[in-house]
Amino acid sequence: MVEMLSIPMRRAAQAALLVYVWIWAIPANAAISIAVAPPLIEKVTRPGSTIRDMILFRNGGTEPLDVSVTFVDFSVNEDGSVAERPPGLDPSSILPYAQVTPLRARVEPNQQVNFRYTIRTPADFKQLRTMVMFAGTPQVARSGNQVVFAPRVGVPLYVESTAGRPAQLEVSDVRWSRSSETPEKLVLSMFVQNAGDRNIRPAGTVQIRSVADRFNQTFRFNEGREPVLPGQKRVWTMTFGPVPGGELSVSLRFATSFRDTFVQDDRVPAVAQ
Amino acid sequence: MRVRIFPFIAIFVFAAMPAAGQVSSPDSINVNAQNVGAFVFNIAQATYNFGQISSLGGANVGGTETLTPSTTATSATYTSNAPAVTFSVGSAPQRTVYFYNSSAAQTLSWGTENDLEVQVAGLAVGTNCGFKGIGVVGNGLAGTCAGGNLHHSVTGVGRGANDVDGNLVFRVTVDDADLTGTNTWVVQITAAAP
């Protein structure tokens, strides 16, 4: 068995959570304020190994919370779409191999709880994943015809095998158009498919220039760092702008694997007068 | 002339080897980055009160705000004002966030679960899915408005100036056939990113 998270790294994670909460634009006296760290977990390991780590949960609000931890699995359908599944049924589910403690906790205002998890990976796997859900129900006095808010946040947890093939994004049918609602925005539409065994969160840039370079701006591709899961297919759309109404040249560049880059230059006609 | 090159080679080789702390064990490789980040979900208030309401559309005595009902021959619907309940979501690093209803089954004194509907409003990006009954749960990561999904594909959710501020809007319908009494609805809204 192997301890995966060193003491210095735990302390760094706790300090990071405190720093991020302090500098956050949290509404003054928010009744409910949930912070989790890390927000995303991606680990790579050999089959048959053990992972131990933690997720930090902090109640920054003014009400005590009854916090429960559950798992929601998500898988890729045959048509490539992503769908949630009852926990533990999908072959990619981490649930048969994972333990979390505690599963419930009362967290007082300004209190932080460490939820520790252990994952014992099987001898044969490519990617295991789940969404670890933290639901907080405020302990408040109840009255008639009242709505009580119980926010829930998810921390995606991915464990990928060193034996898995690297992510490989296949791209086709790239199209540019102007948004019908807001013509000063450009809409990118393309079909992508991940043929590998690992996630890819493709990063890149979109450079948009007008004639004679009077307008020249570079936007970030996949600003939300969305992943394309193994086997996932999707029509991916992104919006960039604002941009001028004249004819534009567009240079699209983004990573499709750890070594490959997709490059395509296009022209977008001027807005029809 | 005999040249002693062994010490030079030895130093070179050790310099090329990874430092002991980078590979923690012979069984596995931890490739976590040191940048931890955080995900934050805030709601300004813990509850919202409709107060006393009626299928006749009378005043909501004891409610959080004065609601103007919309009446029909057999029911009345009370709708909260858009800014009545504000929320914010932030993330570091930036993520694409999905909002959906994940409320559990309710124990009610009158009406049905879907008499209470919720909508996420005020978000400038992503796709809004309108009002959904709290009895309908969502498949949040599908990127569609199916089921109880409330608002999806909110890109570039960051922190500070890039965190996302929105509102929760509620409406409740009271039918003539509903029993008298009071309800407490526990509405669970999920904010998640893949």
Side-chain angles (χ1 to χ4, degrees):
Chain A
M1 295 202 286
V2 175
E3 187 75 24
M4 292 299 294
L5 187 63
S6 64
I7 293 175
M9 195 164 176
R10 288 182 198 158
R11 290 178 179 163
Q14 291 173 331
L17 177 59
L18 291 175
V19 169
Y20 277 111
V21 171
W22 287 339
I23 64 178
W24 216 274
I26 296 176
N29 298 321
I32 297 175
S33 176
I34 290 175
V36 291
L40 160 68
I41 300 169
E42 292 177 317
K43 295 186 182 289
V44 180
T45 188
R46 291 192 173 89
S49 61
T50 299
I51 298 170
R52 292 193 179 90
D53 208 331
M54 71 174 74
I55 301 172
L56 312 182
F57 179 99
R58 186 173 188 275
N59 179 4
T62 60
E63 304 291 344
L65 296 174
D66 182 8
V67 179
S68 61
V69 180
T70 56
F71 295 88
V72 171
D73 288 343
F74 50 104
S75 65
V76 181
N77 295 327
E78 287 186 3
D79 64 359
S81 61
V82 175
E84 291 184 4
R85 296 275 187 266
L89 299 182
D90 194 83
S92 67
S93 175
I94 271 182
L95 200 57
Y97 314 106
Q99 291 178 311
V100 173
T101 184
L103 288 177
R104 298 190 76 92
R106 179 183 170 103
V107 187
E108 299 292 335
N110 294 317
Q111 184 182 10
Q112 178 176 301
V113 173
N114 301 335
F115 290 86
R116 302 176 185 275
Y117 62 89
T118 301
I119 301 169
R120 294 181 174 82
T121 61
D124 181 21
F125 79 101
K126 297 292 190 303
Q127 185 193 72
L128 303 174
R129 57 179 178 255
T130 192
M131 187 75 73
V132 185
M133 293 292 191
F134 294 87
T137 303
Q139 302 304 293
V140 294
R142 306 292 175 95
S143 62
N145 292 335
Q146 177 190 67
V147 176
V148 176
F149 304 121
R152 185 173 76 160
V153 295
V155 177
L157 171 58
Y158 302 95
V159 177
E160 296 180 336
S161 170
T162 52
R165 293 170 298 154
Q168 182 64 54
L169 202 61
E170 299 170 352
V171 184
S172 63
D173 201 20
V174 177
R175 303 184 185 189
W176 288 94
S177 61
R178 291 188 184 267
S179 168
S180 57
E181 298 164 348
T182 51
E184 68 269 21
K185 296 287 181 73
L186 288 188
V187 179
L188 166 66
S189 174
M190 59 185 179
F191 181 82
V192 298
Q193 176 177 353
N194 184 0
D197 295 327
R198 300 191 190 179
N199 287 352
I200 181 170
R201 297 177 187 269
T205 59
V206 173
Q207 183 182 22
I208 302 174
R209 291 173 293 180
S210 64
V211 173
D213 268 6
R214 287 182 179 175
F215 177 86
N216 186 342
Q217 188 165 349
T218 299
F219 300 87
R220 194 194 310 178
F221 176 88
N222 190 18
E223 187 181 28
R225 299 183 73 247
E226 288 191 71
V228 184
L229 307 182
Q232 186 181 359
K233 307 172 191 175
R234 63 179 296 188
V235 175
W236 204 350
T237 61
M238 298 177 208
T239 302
F240 303 92
V243 298
E247 182 180 342
L248 300 170
S249 67
V250 182
S251 297
L252 173 62
R253 308 250 185 301
F254 62 91
T256 54
S257 73
F258 68 91
R259 62 183 180 185
D260 299 318
T261 301
F262 179 86
V263 177
Q264 182 163 317
D265 296 332
D266 288 284
R267 285 203 173 272
V268 178
V271 177
Q273 297 299 322
Chain B
M1 181 174 73
R2 186 180 182 129
V3 176
R4 294 181 62 191
I5 63 176
F6 175 78
F8 175 81
I9 292 174
I11 292 171
F12 179 82
V13 169
F14 280 111
M17 288 176 62
Q22 292 182 359
V23 178
S24 57
S25 81
D27 291 336
S28 56
I29 302 172
N30 183 351
V31 295
N32 277 344
Q34 294 294 322
N35 180 15
V36 177
F39 188 72
V40 182
F41 189 8
N42 306 310
I43 303 179
Q45 58 205 70
T47 62
Y48 179 84
N49 296 329
F50 281 98
Q52 182 175 301
I53 49 180
S54 163
S55 65
L56 298 177
N60 59 314
V61 176
T64 302
E65 58 182 306
T66 301
L67 303 169
T68 303
S70 171
T71 58
T72 68
T74 58
S75 67
T77 299
Y78 295 79
T79 304
S80 67
N81 290 324
V85 181
T86 60
F87 72 86
S88 68
V89 172
S91 177
Q94 286 192 344
R95 312 274 295 289
T96 296
V97 179
Y98 299 76
F99 296 90
Y100 54 102
N101 173 50
S102 52
S103 303
Q106 308 288 318
T107 301
L108 302 177
S109 298
W110 59 266
T112 64
E113 288 176 325
N114 288 332
D115 285 335
L116 177 67
E117 299 168 278
V118 60
Q119 180 184 34
V120 167
L123 298 183
V125 295
T127 301
N128 188 265
C129 303
F131 278 102
K132 298 295 179 75
I134 66 165
V136 182
V137 296
N139 177 7
L141 301 180
T144 69
C145 282
N149 293 343
L150 298 173
H151 198 112
H152 68 80
S153 306
V154 185
T155 60
V157 175
R159 63 180 181 86
N162 291 322
D163 68 5
V164 168
D165 299 326
N167 312 301
L168 296 176
V169 183
F170 290 96
R171 66 187 185 194
V172 63
T173 299
V174 187
D175 296 320
D176 286 346
D178 289 334
L179 300 175
T180 57
T182 62
N183 283 333
T184 299
W185 302 271
V186 179
V187 176
Q188 185 183 79
I189 306 294
T190 296

